[in-house]
Amino acid sequence: MNVKICADSTCDLSDALLEQYGVTLAPLYVAMDDKPLKDRVEIVPEDIFRYVEKSGKLCRTAAVNVADYTELFGRFAKQYDAVIHVCISSDFSSCYQNACVAAQEFDNVYIVDSRNLSTGSGLLVIEAALRAAQGMEPQQIVTELNELAGRVEASFVVDNIEYLRKGGRCSSVAALGANLLRLKPCIEVTDGKMHAAKKYRGSLENCIVQYVKDRLSGRSDIVADRIFITHSTCAQQIVDRVRAFVEENCKFNEILETEAGCTISNHCGPGTLGVLFIRK
């Protein structure tokens, strides 16, 4: 079987990984002053951060529309035996619903709800590409991805809580308290939804290093194939410390560093970092 893998731009895979695995993206939209811009095509996270700093306003994100999905699927449905598209969690966006509507126009397009975001979704995209390269039947790939979705562990530590407040995901009172106490919240993705977990206190670097230790130390239930260190313009010194800890204390076959795209950056702001992997 010749299977094409596609994904929403929210999967946050680097250009090198997209090329390595032959993945094509469907860009979400980011509205800046009501002008819709395509994620990773017409806008990058640094544009968002500059806009927020200058205007004090947050950009708005919008799903890939049905027409865009139809164009994408139509491009590959005739070239390949099947097309498998991995979406951001249906609880975060209407991308999945729109992709399903578009897929009805084709008899060989399959849609997967990753139940995740960022490289939590990206992990499934890579798993899909590996199975496609092995010649696995598309329906079997989809079945296995649906099972894997429940075993992806995705979390992030957020530096600037004002982005969560502006986006309505944190009250003004909670944001004020977090800022006064220098708290850095950990955001987890569970069953397709985000929720606040442990709160760390102190400098961003110390908070992130402690968060990574909490996530990885003493674990025997982690699939060792790969781990993502995904961040939004986090200081390289912090990223290097995280990588050094992972290298010294864990036995992953691959340690992949990527930068978060516009969606996670718009909601979580600069200085956000997460480690993402699959559990056994």
Side-chain angles (χ1 to χ4, degrees), residues 156-160 208 230-234 264 268-274:
F156 306 86
V157 165
V158 176
D159 179 33
N160 189 344
I208 285 179
T230 299
H231 63 94
S232 58
T233 61
C234 207
I264 191 72
C268 295
T272 298
L273 183 144

Side-chain angles (χ1 to χ4, degrees), residues 29 57 106 113 130 170 174 186 202 261 267:
Y29 288 88
K57 299 185 295 184
F106 310 91
D113 183 351
L130 290 171
C170 173
C186 171
H267 293 299

Side-chain angles (χ1 to χ4, degrees), residues 176-188:
L176 177 62
N179 289 333
L180 289 174
L181 295 173
R182 299 181 68 197
L183 296 178
K184 312 296 184 187
C186 171
I187 307 299
E188 291 181 339

Side-chain angles (χ1 to χ4, degrees), residues 19-34:
E19 182 177 358
Q20 177 181 345
Y21 291 104
V23 176
T24 299
L25 296 183
L28 275 76
Y29 288 88
V30 179
M32 184 179 288
D33 288 332
D34 296 323

Side-chain angles (χ1 to χ4, degrees), residues 201-241:
R201 186 175 183 178
S203 70
L204 177 62
E205 182 170 347
N206 289 339
C207 288
I208 285 179
V209 171
Q210 186 57 54
Y211 147 77
V212 173
K213 291 178 179 178
D214 289 345
R215 286 284 153 178
L216 298 175
S217 296
R219 299 281 295 268
S220 60
D221 63 336
I222 298 175
V223 175
D225 292 343
R226 65 189 56 84
I227 184 173
F228 275 102
I229 302 170
T230 299
H231 63 94
S232 58
T233 61
C234 207
Q236 192 59 47
Q237 174 184 330
I238 298 176
V239 179
D240 290 344
R241 282 193 65 185

Side-chain angles (χ1 to χ4, degrees), residues 113-116 120 123-128 131 141-153 223 225 277-280:
D113 183 351
S114 74
R115 309 300 297 149
N116 226 294
L123 285 162
L124 293 187
V125 175
I126 290 177
E127 293 294 335
R131 285 160 173 74
I141 296 175
V142 171
T143 298
E144 294 194 10
L145 292 183
N146 287 333
E147 189 276 329
L148 281 172
R151 296 196 277 120
V152 172
E153 187 166 315
V223 175
D225 292 343
F277 48 88
I278 298 175
R279 295 187 301 270
K280 295 179 181 177

